[in-house]
Amino acid sequence: MFKDRVDAGRRLAAELLRLKAETPLVYGLPRGGVPVAAEVARALGVPLHVLLVRKIGAPGEPELALGAVADGDPPLVVWNEALVRELGLDERRKAELAQEELAVLEQRRRRFASLPPRPSAKGRTAIVIDDGLATGATARAALLVLRAERPARLVLAAPVSSPEAAEELADDADEVVCLEAPALFRGVGASYRDFGQTSEDQVIALVRSLGRRG
């Protein structure tokens, strides 16, 4: 069990130090992934960047990920088609759900407008970091956005993951680094003693504090 996201980030950083010579780009997924990514960026001596992604929750069950939207031009929408079919959602309802999260994504983009623009991953080693992977929907959306930029190497890293997510996401990344993947996965928060919410102000402060490194 991790004490908190800082502790998890430091432990994850120890596994990623081998990439330091590549001067990788470190992308945190807001909000909870950013404190974890901050510790990795600090250990690797590189700036911290934010890649905007939002989960699309199932109607009435917001923690159940139907898919995700990721910032891009245009924004990317990724669906868990098996779950969509199981819930019997038609294209109109899918569009409504996606639009709700795209609106939140736009609000967050404006909130973070004062931060440096996210750099392209083209030709670079890119590390995508979240605080945990349950279904992996948001991480997959982030990976697809960066894959389109043609990085030299694409790494997904998280302190904890469900076994299913870690296995499925291996097709979208060149490497998946996960410290724990318990067979009896009880949710990301179950692996943390302190799993309090990360605020947007905290995200901004962390990115600014690490923005001039490397």
Side-chain angles (χ1 to χ4, degrees):
M1 180 172 284
F2 306 105
K3 179 182 177 182
D4 53 21
R5 290 182 178 88
V6 171
D7 173 48
R10 288 173 179 168
R11 293 202 224 174
L12 194 60
E15 295 295 320
L16 296 169
L17 275 175
R18 56 190 165 82
L19 300 177
K20 186 172 184 177
E22 299 177 29
T23 316
L25 294 169
V26 173
Y27 301 97
L29 302 188
R31 292 174 297 193
V34 173
V36 180
E39 295 305 314
V40 175
R42 186 173 286 114
L44 298 183
V46 298
L48 170 64
H49 307 287
V50 171
L51 202 166
L52 295 178
V53 184
R54 286 281 300 178
K55 175 174 62 180
I56 301 173
E61 295 184 76
E63 293 306 311
L64 180 61
L66 277 176
V69 294
D71 194 21
D73 187 18
L76 177 71
V77 182
V78 174
W79 293 100
N80 180 332
E81 294 294 352
L83 187 54
V84 167
R85 288 193 297 271
E86 183 180 328
L87 296 180
L89 300 179
D90 59 22
E91 292 301 315
R92 179 178 177 179
R93 186 61 177 132
K94 285 171 63 179
E96 290 173 348
L97 292 170
Q99 190 55 49
E100 290 173 6
E101 299 307 328
L102 286 167
V104 176
L105 202 69
E106 178 58 32
Q107 292 174 356
R108 190 162 286 173
R109 185 189 292 112
R110 291 196 295 268
R111 180 75 176 88
F112 295 155
S114 63
L115 297 178
R118 177 180 70 79
S120 169
K122 184 177 181 179
R124 302 284 300 276
T125 293
I127 307 174
V128 176
I129 298 175
D130 206 353
D131 55 7
L133 309 169
T135 65
T138 53
R140 181 166 185 259
L143 290 170
L144 290 175
V145 166
L146 293 178
R147 180 65 77 190
E149 297 175 5
R150 293 179 293 173
R153 186 177 187 187
L154 186 54
V155 179
L156 173 63
V160 61
S161 173
S162 68
E164 296 80 9
E167 181 177 354
E168 291 172 6
L169 289 166
D171 292 333
D172 298 302
D174 297 313
E175 181 181 3
V176 176
V177 177
C178 183
L179 303 183
E180 296 181 2
L184 296 176
F185 181 76
R186 295 180 294 118
V188 173
S191 291
Y192 290 82
R193 285 197 288 272
D194 179 358
F195 197 62
Q197 286 198 354
T198 302
S199 71
E200 291 182 352
D201 286 341
Q202 287 174 303
V203 169
I204 291 170
L206 284 168
V207 173
R208 285 179 175 165
S209 71
L210 292 164
R212 301 188 177 211
R213 299 168 65 87

